[in-house]
Amino acid sequence: MITLILEATGGGNYNGIALFFGAIMFGPAILLAIIGLAILKSNKKAAKVLFILAVVYVIVSLGICGSMM
């Protein structure tokens, strides 16, 4: 099913490009949040920094990638 979404066919099908921009917008932020949750108990200060970075990344990426879409 994933290959059907990413398949570039004629006729103006831009599903792959939208999926690519969505992955750029939310992928690193989700990864930072997961790492922050993983180290929350051992190092609260570093986890807090990772959560802040995730939120800032989402705000910036929605501004840049959102304007491109």
Side-chain angles (χ1 to χ4, degrees):
M1 185 66 182
I2 300 261
T3 57
L4 293 176
I5 293 172
L6 296 176
E7 187 176 307
T9 59
N13 187 1
Y14 298 115
N15 291 337
I17 294 172
L19 186 65
F20 176 71
F21 279 125
I24 288 176
M25 284 192 285
F26 298 112
I30 291 171
L31 185 65
L32 286 171
I34 290 171
I35 293 171
L37 285 172
I39 65 168
L40 184 62
K41 293 201 178 207
S42 63
N43 196 351
K44 290 189 181 209
K45 195 171 199 179
K48 186 176 178 181
V49 169
L50 286 173
F51 291 141
I52 292 171
L53 283 174
V55 170
V56 168
Y57 188 88
V58 167
I59 290 170
V60 170
S61 68
L62 286 177
I64 293 172
C65 292
S67 67
M68 289 171 58
M69 289 179 84

